[in-house]
Amino acid sequence: MYFKDLNNSKTIGANSLFISIGSFNIVVDAGMDPKLAGLKALPNFDQLEKFSLDLVLITHCHLDHIGSLPILLRDQPQARILLSPPSRLILPIMLDNAITVMKHQRDERGIKEYPLYGKTEISSLEEFFLEMPNGRTKVFKKLNDEIRITFVHDGHICGASGVLIEHRHRKIFFSGDVLFRDQITLPGALWPKEKLDVLVMETTRGNTKRRENHSIQQEINGLISRINATIEKGGSVLIPSFALGRMQEVLSILNDARKKKQLIKNVRIVCSGLGLTLVDVFDKISKKYGLINFKKSILKDLNVKPLLKIEYLHPGKKPAESTIFVVSSGMMTENTPSYNIAACLLNDSNNSICFVGYCDKDTPGGKLLASTKGHSFLFDTLNRSIEINAHVEHFDLSGHAERDELLQHAIDFNPRAIVLTHGENVSREWFFDELLDRSPNTKIVDPEIGIEYNI
Ligand SMILES: [Zn+2]
Ligand SMILES: [Zn+2]
């Protein structure tokens, strides 16, 4: 099998991997780098020029995995897009929203090439889709060759799948973004237990040590106590959350705490637009496929209100009423609701900012977590520097597997080769060193940009 990582940076970046196996040319994911703007945010699709793709496999619908899909299909209109049934419903909404965000960025930051695609292109993707329900193997034939593909439940978010490819007795497994523990909204990953030839795995949390005596319940209790203490003081809480997955999980955590009478009463809860749109889709998926534990009645139970622009127009200005803001983005990316709300809350010691997911160190969220109270924090795109007086804390409710757990799975597969993807350099290095030590017969590949490998 030949493969090439099309991601232009050795970070989480724009996920996209090309593999050529037998007669088949396949791309796994077609993402967009959330930390870059314009054409730089795309994978290096130029490297596919001489190939005709047969299949594009989509592991899940976060933009770092699907943001460049319409561009890939522009040059490869013969390729079929394989995705889980929930992803088929979620994907057009995520890409539609990406267009809106790109248009804002064009107007506000002068990125002329934005948007990189239009709504018609998104709706025309529908004709290329082929649904892959979890656990159901499909066989694809080409010339005298055939390949078997199976999607498996991956935890992480609704619709997320790992992908197993079988070709002439060889088994290659793509981890996608994976979470093994159960969430309230979704059971943990159900990975195959078999010997693999090649494992292509994410490494997101390679640089995050397991906390001693830590349990998810303790993290949840800590978050609820922090919310209650903040609201009692008359302050507000910001929970930056990815609109897809984390936001619905946070709402479920709040609703659980409300039912157990652990959450302070009558508190105002506000969510941002895309997260609310996805609540409807999750409700539909739950009714149609029963894959997730989520009902849209949660919005009524918690009396959730949509975020209004007026709430974040004036950085430094206190909200009119104590509020829990569950708004995107999870890493407090510039110009998103969480970035703007943080600018309103950060200078008041009565407020709290509670991160609940993975935060890249180079994003505003990662920078804020690394900052010290009393120092000032620059909101670059708002042109404002604000003193950090609010309580800032990270609660470990990440949608990615803990590194030790993922490492153990990798070792158990006992593959001939492991390819590291989807992680900062330092995270890849941790996995590289541990695997070298504990799986000495396995070839470990941390792919260099633009290099083709034969494994
Ligand atoms: Zn993801
Ligand atoms: Zn990802």
Side-chain angles (χ1 to χ4, degrees), residues 60 64-65 177 422:
H60 67 290
D64 58 320
H65 298 261
D177 289 6
H422 199 282

Side-chain angles (χ1 to χ4, degrees), residues 5-52:
D5 197 345
L6 304 176
N7 187 354
N8 273 320
S9 63
K10 280 183 77 173
T11 60
I12 288 181
N15 287 286
S16 195
L17 201 94
F18 169 68
I19 66 163
S20 174
I21 183 164
S23 317
F24 293 87
N25 293 322
I26 300 172
V27 160
V28 182
D29 287 334
M32 194 182 257
D33 192 327
K35 287 194 294 185
L36 297 175
L39 295 169
K40 280 194 228 111
L42 299 177
N44 193 348
F45 290 143
D46 290 349
Q47 310 213 18
L48 297 175
E49 255 170 21
K50 59 177 187 200
F51 297 100
S52 169

Side-chain angles (χ1 to χ4, degrees), residues 284-308:
K284 197 167 161 188
I285 292 168
S286 167
K287 283 180 187 141
K288 197 168 173 191
Y289 305 107
L291 298 172
I292 51 167
N293 174 23
F294 191 84
K295 291 194 178 75
K296 77 173 177 193
S297 56
I298 200 169
L299 297 182
K300 226 182 203 170
D301 297 340
L302 287 167
N303 194 19
V304 175
K305 304 285 181 214
L307 177 69
L308 304 173

Side-chain angles (χ1 to χ4, degrees), residues 6 15-18 25-32 42-49 51-58 65-82 95 116-117 121 125 128:
L6 304 176
N15 287 286
S16 195
L17 201 94
F18 169 68
N25 293 322
I26 300 172
V27 160
V28 182
D29 287 334
M32 194 182 257
L42 299 177
N44 193 348
F45 290 143
D46 290 349
Q47 310 213 18
L48 297 175
E49 255 170 21
F51 297 100
S52 169
L53 288 185
D54 301 294
L55 304 169
V56 178
L57 314 179
I58 298 297
H65 298 261
I66 61 161
S68 59
L69 184 62
I71 296 161
L72 175 62
L73 262 286
R74 217 177 267 164
D75 294 331
Q76 302 279 353
Q78 73 293 334
R80 302 203 75 182
I81 304 167
L82 274 52
L95 291 183
L116 297 174
Y117 40 85
E121 251 178 319
L125 289 176
F128 304 105

